[in-house]
Structures are given as structure tokens and as C-alpha cells.
Amino acid sequence: MKRFALAAALLLAAAPVRAQDTIAAPADTVRLRFGWQPGMTMRMEAEKLRTRESANGPTTVRMASTAWTSVAPHPRGLLVRTDSMRWDELPDALGPVGEMLRSLGSSAADPATIVTADGEFVGLNDPAALRAEVERALEPMLAEFEAEVPGIRQMMQGMMSEEALATAAADEWGAMVAFWADADLELGTVYALDDTIQAPGLGVPIPMTLEFGAMERVPCTEEETQARCVRLELNSIPDQEALLQAVAQLMGALGPEIQAEMEALKGQLSVETLTTLVTDPATLRPYSLEIVKQSTAEVEGEERVVQSDIERTRFFYPR
């Protein structure tokens, strides 16, 4: 059970951030503007590395996938749809979790999002159908773990609600576009911002400290020489006490043994997330996105687990 409590705490950690208000800056700045248009398409090649260090030594799992995104007109702005997803690498060692991911990858549910013409997130196109598909994909995994962890179904249902799915989609769009849209940032300057996010499926607000900036002008791709893109960085650190409260609430459905372990975990959970985006400032068309989440959890007197999640995505556009 201790391993499950630690794993669940690490999974909840490092929630992405929300969009910011426009920040005024001097004239010699990087002006970030949204310019996606109907008919735009891009291929996304993504990989995720999860490294976990514990008393048993380090373990690393790699997953890789390819998908295509298209942009179409919508009455409220634009419809951004990602489909034709395939897994290029998905280890068998993931067991029922891997089966769930395979099922979601082959799903016919509509994961499209609606955004405004200015790049603000509006919502999911069909949240009910997406939730039904996620629940269907989760069922075999829940059935396998439910005997050992009776409250896991209740916990996962809260995290897979339509509201939670919309929050996850908004966070993903925010890291790539919405957080940066309409910001004017002085090149090389690091800005600081305090924000509060709502963890998906929970009612506990989590204060965040954000440090971000346009760090340098860079070529958009390895083949280019002209520095027409910009490298943006965002470092987000959640308030540790509020994060622990959110984790404790999430674990509350899993029974008294898990709750006791959460008490022992207090003061022993730390999280930091660094997002690096290479994008065209004139349109916010991304070329690479890297999100590194470093989480440490330790039950008092027991094992210490350090988990590093690295998600890298490269974007390719037809010529």
C-alpha cells in the first residue's frame, strides 16, 4: 500500500499553470501573438521518459507516439483536433496501464478542443463522449486493482469527470499557447507571478509561484539558421502545504491505511515543473515543447522516491 500512496502522490504533483494577463513591457520586446488559421496542420512526435529512483535503484520507462493535429473554423473561434494517433513505443511492462493507453490511442472519441480567435481556451468539443471513452479504457485496470484498493474507482471517477478532462485539456493548451498569448516580454528578463490553480477533480486550490520569460531568439528547427523563433521558459512551483492537502483529499477514498500514510508524508513532498517552448512569436506555432516534472515523496521512516517525468514533443509542418 505504501508504494501505491507514493505513486498516487507523485501522479497528482506538478499540475500545469493557467493563462496569464497580458504583461506590458518596453518597446524592445518579444511580442507573442496567436495566429493559428483554419487549414493549418502539423505532425506531432512525442516521447515520455519516466525515471524513478528508490531503495531498489533507478528504473526508466519510455513511451513514444505520433499524432496529427488540424485546425478548422468553429462558431466560437477554432476547432483544434488531434487524431490518427499511434503508439511507436509502449512497453509491455506497463501491464494494465499500457492496455488502457493502447485503448485510448485507438479510440474514436472526439478529443478536439475549441479555442477563440485570440487563442483562449473555450472547452472540449464533446466532453461527454470523451469521458465515456476514457471510462471504457479505464475499466480493465480498475477491475484488476479494485480488490487491493477498494476506493480506486471512486478516486479515478473524480479525476476523469468532464470538468477534470476539460481542465487537463486547458492545461495542455495553456502550456503551448494560452499562457503566452498577447504577452510582451523583454528578451532575457525573468518575470515572477503568483497564481492559484484548481487540481483536477478536487476542490482544493493550490497557490503557485511562477517564473517565466523569453530567454533567447533561436532557429525554429535544426535545419534553419535564422533565429526567427524564441525559447520560452516557465518554472512552476506549487505551495507544498496546499499540494499535500490536495493529495490527502485525493487519497481519502482509499481507506484509513492510505490516509495514515498521507499523514506520515506531510512535509515530505516537493515538486517543480520546468516548461521549455520553442515557438514562432508571430503566430505561436510551436516547434518543440519540453516539460520536466521533478517530484520527491518520502513516507517518514520509510523509502524515499524521486520521480522525474520528461515529456518532449516536436512539431512538423507540411511545406
Side-chain angles (χ1 to χ4, degrees), residues 189-221:
T189 297
V190 176
Y191 298 83
L193 179 69
D194 291 327
D195 197 7
T196 301
I197 64 115
Q198 201 80 24
L202 299 177
V204 179
I206 302 178
M208 302 281 289
T209 298
L210 310 178
E211 297 176 347
F212 59 95
M215 308 315 296
E216 63 175 338
R217 296 187 185 276
V218 295
C220 296
T221 67

Side-chain angles (χ1 to χ4, degrees), residues 17-286:
V17 297
R18 294 279 183 258
Q20 65 183 54
D21 293 331
T22 299
I23 297 177
D28 56 343
T29 60
V30 175
R31 291 177 170 79
L32 302 169
R33 300 295 182 262
F34 181 68
W36 292 29
Q37 299 295 326
M40 171 182 152
T41 60
M42 61 184 178
R43 185 179 84 253
M44 301 184 300
E45 296 181 358
E47 72 166 348
K48 181 172 183 178
L49 299 173
R50 169 167 289 180
T51 300
R52 180 173 293 191
E53 298 180 10
S54 65
N56 298 323
T59 58
T60 299
V61 174
R62 180 182 185 271
M63 297 178 287
S65 63
T66 302
W68 284 259
T69 292
S70 61
V71 180
H74 187 275
R76 302 185 66 179
L78 298 171
L79 186 68
V80 181
R81 173 175 282 118
T82 298
D83 55 18
S84 302
M85 185 266 191
R86 71 166 187 261
W87 286 107
D88 302 313
E89 184 175 343
L90 191 61
D92 292 336
L94 291 176
V97 175
E99 290 304 314
M100 177 199 69
L101 293 173
R102 285 190 183 91
S103 180
L104 287 175
S106 61
S107 168
D110 183 6
T113 57
I114 303 167
V115 301
T116 68
D118 295 327
E120 294 182 9
F121 180 84
V122 175
L124 291 168
N125 189 46
D126 192 347
L130 182 59
R131 177 182 180 178
E133 194 64 26
V134 171
E135 289 178 343
R136 182 194 64 79
L138 276 173
E139 184 56 37
M141 184 185 73
L142 294 178
E144 178 163 334
F145 290 139
E146 200 165 17
E148 180 183 357
V149 189
I152 190 173
R153 184 178 298 274
Q154 178 183 345
M155 182 190 77
M156 294 303 297
Q157 284 177 343
M159 296 182 68
M160 294 295 106
S161 67
E162 291 182 23
E163 178 185 4
L165 291 172
T167 298
D171 289 337
E172 183 177 348
W173 179 253
M176 188 168 58
V177 173
F179 182 85
W180 308 101
D182 290 331
D184 295 336
L185 305 177
E186 186 175 358
L187 194 66
T189 297
V190 176
Y191 298 83
L193 179 69
D194 291 327
D195 197 7
T196 301
I197 64 115
Q198 201 80 24
L202 299 177
V204 179
I206 302 178
M208 302 281 289
T209 298
L210 310 178
E211 297 176 347
F212 59 95
M215 308 315 296
E216 63 175 338
R217 296 187 185 276
V218 295
C220 296
T221 67
E222 295 178 355
E223 294 77 19
E224 295 184 11
T225 57
Q226 181 183 357
R228 62 184 183 90
C229 276
V230 63
R231 178 170 62 85
L232 306 173
E233 288 188 358
L234 167 64
N235 192 30
S236 59
I237 306 171
D239 179 82
Q240 181 171 303
E241 183 175 347
L243 180 62
L244 283 166
Q245 290 178 1
V247 173
Q249 180 172 323
L250 179 68
M251 298 292 101
L254 300 183
E257 183 177 346
I258 297 294
Q259 287 181 313
E261 291 181 19
M262 294 310 304
E263 289 296 319
L265 185 63
K266 285 188 175 179
Q268 302 295 325
L269 176 63
S270 62
V271 174
E272 187 167 345
T273 304
L274 177 63
T275 299
T276 303
L277 173 67
V278 173
T279 189
D280 178 356
T283 62
L284 286 177
R285 294 206 318 177

